[in-house]
Amino acid sequence: MAHILLVDDEEAIVYVFRRYLERAGFQVTAATNPVAAVAAAGAGAFDLLVTDYRMPGLSGSELVARLRVANPGLPALVVTAYGAEVALAEANVRVMNKPLSPADLVEAVRQALVQAVAP
């Protein structure tokens, strides 16, 4: 079972996305701020990061960079309402726009995990 780190500063988004992902069979650790996410990542390994882009403290791209210090190959899915301003040219980072259907979120997570293990 893949372990997902889910980060969004909106508690309602965290709640809904967590439920979608857990129903799809993923283990989910959730944080409502990027500082808590960095702490959670220090306590254990994750297979994928699902994060918002605009958050207080660190942006989604800054969070990806911080977490990749300890886990350079960590794939990430940035889900944001501000997709037009997100310019991430990082490997294994996909940007998706909110609102996002449950099926689209789960499928994007599955694809990111498959691509992360593909040679």
Side-chain angles (χ1 to χ4, degrees):
M1 173 185 336
H3 193 175
I4 312 291
L5 177 57
L6 171 63
V7 187
D8 197 300
D9 60 324
E10 292 184 43
E11 289 184 31
I13 297 290
V14 169
Y15 175 80
V16 171
F17 280 13
R18 181 181 202 153
R19 288 185 55 112
Y20 295 162
L21 294 169
E22 287 177 341
R23 284 184 179 170
F26 299 107
Q27 179 183 355
V28 179
T29 297
T32 55
N33 70 70
V35 175
V38 171
F46 294 94
D47 300 302
L48 176 71
L49 169 65
V50 177
T51 184
D52 189 15
Y53 181 73
R54 274 192 183 179
M55 297 179 289
L58 294 171
S59 71
S61 60
E62 292 168 327
L63 179 59
V64 170
R66 287 247 181 122
L67 297 183
R68 284 186 169 178
V69 169
N71 185 354
L74 180 68
L77 179 61
V78 178
V79 183
T80 180
Y82 303 97
E85 66 185 51
V86 178
L88 292 174
E90 301 276 337
N92 293 325
V93 176
R94 180 174 176 191
V95 178
M96 298 185 73
N97 290 312
K98 291 179 187 174
L100 188 62
S101 76
D104 288 344
L105 174 65
V106 170
E107 182 59 25
V109 165
R110 286 187 176 132
Q111 287 177 5
L113 290 167
V114 166
Q115 290 173 353
V117 296

